[in-house]
Amino acid sequence: MSEAAPGSGRVAVVTGAARGIGAATAVRLAREGFAVAVCDLDEAGCAATAGRVEEAGGRALAVGVDVSDAPAVEAAIARIAAELGPPVVLVNNAGIIRDNLLFRMSDDDWDSVMSVHLRGAFLMSRAAQRHMTDAGWGRIVNLSSVSALGNRGQANYSAAKAGLQGFTKTLAIELGRFGVTANAIAPGFIATEMTAATAARVGMDFEEFKQAAAKEIPVRRVGVPEDIAGTVAFLVSDDASFVSGQVIYVAGGPRA
Ligand code: NAP
């Protein structure tokens, strides 16, 4: 790792980093000079991403943590601080979908989506912010979605993703005086296991599903995880120190 790299050995935490957008973000942050705590439900499942972080020149720590479990989150942040260093970048990326039309949506569909996205981002941010305020520098990036604007079959997910936007703006207001910024990224269609699962649910081949989606996107392609990782890299950089409380739609158009 080059000493001139923007991360300069600072410690970043990425949740849901075993695969998809989180994995691409972890690797990109390593390239930017950050040490990366690769967090996901299953520690063994983090090994591949941790290996890619190391190949990219970063120190890596694989951490198994359910972001909706308060004691587990406290323990994970304490372990990261002890083994990797105080975390000053947090990317709240872990997510699930439990899609259903409102009349079929179960209590559990609602509660589990709120738990991972909203409670998870809250618990992780509360645990990590003390290291950022101590350092007088920090970055929080929350993964929202174009679904925050409303999406059929996603009453739970769209409410959580809209909630994350309000959460982000409040963190920006509370933490700005400590040199900490908070921003949200709202991706459009990104090709990952999450969108593959949506294709399977509606009975479509994933390639056909992506082609159909691309026709509706102004830049005429679906996104890839690296599209989001690049936006995270900007938001955690020193160049973005005056950008806070914003929601950046990364969707190949104003919304997908
Ligand atoms: P993904 O491929 O499904 O990856 C999500 C990761 O989060 C998985 O590794 C999953 O672990 C992990 N996770 C789930 N629950 C967790 C928990 N309680 N604690 C810790 N980790 C947990 O999803 P993705 O497509 O990369 O999406 C990443 C984020 O972007 C999500 O917040 C998603 O809502 C958002 N987003 C995605 C898109 C898109 O088009 N893909 C669009 C807009 C927003 P398991 O595999 O063990 O379940």
Side-chain angles (χ1 to χ4, degrees):
M1 183 187 66
S2 149
E3 272 308 298
S8 294
R10 284 167 171 151
V11 175
V13 179
V14 184
T15 67
R19 63 177 201 229
I21 293 169
T25 298
V27 173
R28 176 61 192 261
L29 291 181
R31 284 207 195 99
E32 299 294 331
F34 290 91
V36 185
V38 176
C39 301
D40 211 295
L41 278 174
D42 172 32
E43 185 165 326
C46 298
T49 306
R52 291 174 61 202
V53 163
E54 284 167 357
E55 278 166 26
R59 289 185 299 131
L61 181 67
V63 180
V65 57
D66 175 349
V67 297
S68 66
D69 177 338
V73 164
E74 287 296 327
I77 292 293
R79 182 177 161 212
I80 292 162
E83 294 185 32
L84 213 52
V88 291
V89 168
L90 171 63
V91 183
N92 284 310
N93 168 82
I96 59 169
I97 46 173
R98 295 287 183 272
D99 295 356
N100 246 323
L101 293 174
L102 178 63
F103 76 100
R104 277 201 291 258
M105 188 170 283
S106 69
D107 296 7
D108 190 56
D109 290 336
W110 179 269
D111 290 341
S112 44
V113 166
M114 293 301 152
S115 277
V116 178
H117 294 272
L118 274 180
R119 181 179 161 82
F122 158 64
L123 293 174
M124 289 296 298
S125 301
R126 188 180 61 182
Q129 56 79 31
R130 67 182 73 100
H131 296 288
M132 303 184 194
T133 56
D134 283 354
W137 190 97
R139 298 282 186 266
I140 297 174
V141 180
N142 296 317
L143 267 290
S144 178
S145 168
V146 293
S147 296
L149 302 168
N151 200 25
R152 184 179 163 81
Q154 292 196 315
N156 50 2
Y157 184 80
S158 61
K161 292 307 200 186
L164 277 170
Q165 297 189 7
F167 176 67
T168 302
K169 290 171 192 290
T170 298
L171 296 192
I173 291 165
E174 291 187 11
L175 299 174
R177 73 192 61 185
F178 303 105
V180 179
T181 68
N183 291 285
I185 297 173
F189 187 118
I190 309 296
T192 67
E193 286 184 39
M194 185 176 274
T195 37
T198 303
R201 188 176 61 85
V202 299
M204 274 180 83
D205 170 71
F206 191 37
E207 284 310 312
E208 285 170 22
F209 190 64
K210 285 191 284 187
Q211 281 167 22
K215 286 192 185 128
E216 306 298 321
I217 298 171
V219 303
R220 293 292 186 271
R221 70 168 177 89
V222 300
V224 291
E226 288 72 20
D227 289 317
I228 306 306
T231 310
V232 174
F234 166 67
L235 288 172
V236 306
S237 71
D238 285 319
D239 280 344
S241 63
F242 206 52
V243 180
S244 198
Q246 300 305 304
V247 180
I248 303 184
Y249 283 80
V250 182
R255 68 160 294 180

